[in-house]
Amino acid sequence: QGQLRASGGGSVQPGGSLSLSCAASGYLQRRYCIGWFRQPPGKPREGVATIYGGGGSPNYADSVKGRFTISQDSAKNTLYLQMNNLKPEDTAMYYCATVEDWIKCPPLIPEFFGMWGQGTQVTVSS
């Protein structure tokens, strides 16, 4: 059974940067999609960015385009999220998640993703 472990959250002022990591162990075949999701306080979980294991262009939520960058190191089975120019509305619990046996990434909707790691908190405030 695979596991995902997210890390790298913290507190930062508006305009600052943080980098999240998600270590995957136990599986990850080629036909998988992996990504980042977040749940702001009192709101439902939402998609942030996804990337396909076999390569291809990442998918981003409109709210983070131009500020966040998703990447992966397949050799290390690690997913990253570089977050720049952070805003207070980026405050949320961030999760990594994956789904297998897709020929491309599904839409940025949490219900498509079946394996989740524990979250890491990101707080943006002055």
Side-chain angles (χ1 to χ4, degrees):
Q1 185 73 19
Q3 290 187 334
L4 300 172
R5 178 182 296 181
S7 61
S11 296
V12 65
Q13 293 185 341
S17 297
L18 279 175
S19 181
L20 305 183
S21 298
C22 174
S25 62
Y27 71 116
L28 283 191
Q29 304 164 26
R30 284 181 54 199
R31 290 164 53 107
Y32 70 90
C33 176
I34 191 167
W36 292 97
F37 296 79
R38 67 186 182 186
Q39 187 163 14
K43 295 183 178 181
R45 198 169 294 187
E46 61 186 24
V48 175
T50 56
I51 190 167
Y52 191 63
S57 299
N59 303 308
Y60 293 98
D62 289 342
S63 59
V64 306
K65 282 180 181 177
R67 300 187 299 121
F68 291 11
T69 302
I70 188 172
S71 62
Q72 62 179 336
D73 185 334
S74 299
K76 296 181 180 179
N77 271 1
T78 302
L79 179 73
Y80 303 99
L81 185 68
Q82 178 63 41
M83 305 184 293
N84 298 327
N85 191 21
L86 282 160
K87 303 176 180 180
E89 51 264 42
D90 296 317
T91 294
M93 186 71 76
Y94 283 71
Y95 300 87
C96 52
T98 188
V99 61
E100 295 182 284
D101 293 329
W102 281 68
I103 60 172
K104 64 177 182 179
C105 277
L108 264 172
I109 300 173
E111 285 73 17
F112 281 107
F113 291 77
M115 177 65 70
W116 292 80
Q118 94 292 353
T120 185
Q121 178 67 37
V122 171
T123 302
V124 185
S125 69
S126 55

